[in-house]
Amino acid sequence: GESVGLHLPTLSVQEGDNSIINCAYSNSASDYFIWYKQESGKGPQFIIDIRSNMDKRQGQRVTVLLNKTVKHLSLQIAATQPGDSAVYFCAEIPSGGGATNKLIFGTGTLLAVQP
Amino acid sequence: GAVVSQHPSRVICKSGTSVKIECRSLDFQATTMFWYRQFPKQSLMLMATSNEGSKATYEQGVEKDKFLINHASLTLSTLTVTSAHPEDSSFYICSANTGREKLFFGSGTQLSVL
């Protein structure tokens, strides 16, 4: 399950199960959202993105859902594998970010896949 | 995807010395690069936006005289941590704008100040 406290929220799942990672964003005017995966000691890696005129987008084994009413974003990972273990961040580009593409990152969730 | 190279990956220095970190876009030109700082188990915090040929734009609370940013070409931005102290120890990450919204990140630099 999930836990929130002084450490990163952690989601523990069994290998093969589906994972759902949630994110609440802050700016109702944001029009572009991205999920990143960060492994220990490395930079963030792009997973999937979605624009505010969509509510769902699918990639390979991943799906992003956007609920603008409650400013909520989720990342679903199907058939979670040990290699999916990492910290996942949602990020938003506020409307008007324009050419600078200033990304604002969420707090992150540590996904721990149990074999 | 586009490749962003960041060097060094790890640096250990004595308190009071300066450290330079390089960020290069290898296969594209980046008019804008970003510098982030990340403490253990925390999110990435934007420090500054680096624009080619002009002064960097710093986020609130970031000391521009301590974190010097230079973006002299379309493929290179540097971050210099001047007179580093132990509290500057952190993971520093750069990213580059390909001209579209998707940003690509460097592999990060772990700075340890003794």
Side-chain angles (χ1 to χ4, degrees), chain A residues 43-44, chain B residues 2-9 19-36 46-52 68-80 92-98 103-109:
Chain B
V3 178
V4 177
S5 175
Q6 185 174 341
H7 292 282
S9 58
V19 175
K20 180 186 284 188
I21 303 170
E22 292 188 348
C23 181
R24 294 180 185 272
S25 56
L26 295 187
D27 51 359
F28 66 99
Q29 293 182 330
T31 54
T32 306
M33 291 185 176
F34 303 88
W35 288 95
Y36 291 83
L46 180 65
M47 299 175 65
T49 301
S50 170
N51 300 297
E52 186 267 338
L68 300 179
I69 291 173
N70 184 280
H71 195 155
S73 76
L74 287 172
T75 59
L76 174 64
S77 175
T78 60
L79 168 68
T80 301
Y92 293 87
I93 309 171
C94 70
S95 69
N97 176 5
T98 63
L103 289 177
F104 293 89
F105 287 81
S107 53
T109 298

Side-chain angles (χ1 to χ4, degrees), chain A residues 15-79:
Chain A
E15 181 179 357
D17 287 352
N18 296 333
S19 303
I20 300 176
I21 301 171
N22 297 303
C23 175
Y25 62 92
S26 57
N27 191 333
S28 58
S30 291
D31 54 13
Y32 183 60
F33 305 88
I34 310 172
W35 279 100
Y36 285 94
K37 172 185 179 183
Q38 187 181 27
E39 297 175 329
S40 181
K42 297 183 179 180
Q45 176 186 359
F46 173 90
I47 301 175
I48 191 168
D49 57 0
I50 189 169
R51 294 192 177 280
S52 59
N53 61 352
M54 304 172 68
D55 53 22
K56 180 179 180 179
R57 190 161 187 227
Q58 288 184 296
Q60 187 176 15
R61 276 204 310 123
V62 295
T63 301
V64 54
L65 299 177
L66 174 63
N67 185 330
K68 295 181 288 294
T69 303
V70 294
K71 293 190 288 185
H72 184 269
L73 199 64
S74 69
L75 176 70
Q76 301 178 358
I77 304 174

Side-chain angles (χ1 to χ4, degrees), chain B residues 48-74:
Chain B
T49 301
S50 170
N51 300 297
E52 186 267 338
S54 64
K55 291 183 178 180
T57 303
Y58 290 82
E59 294 299 301
Q60 189 173 8
V62 178
E63 301 176 59
K64 62 180 182 180
D65 294 330
K66 181 165 188 64
F67 299 100
L68 300 179
I69 291 173
N70 184 280
H71 195 155
S73 76
L74 287 172

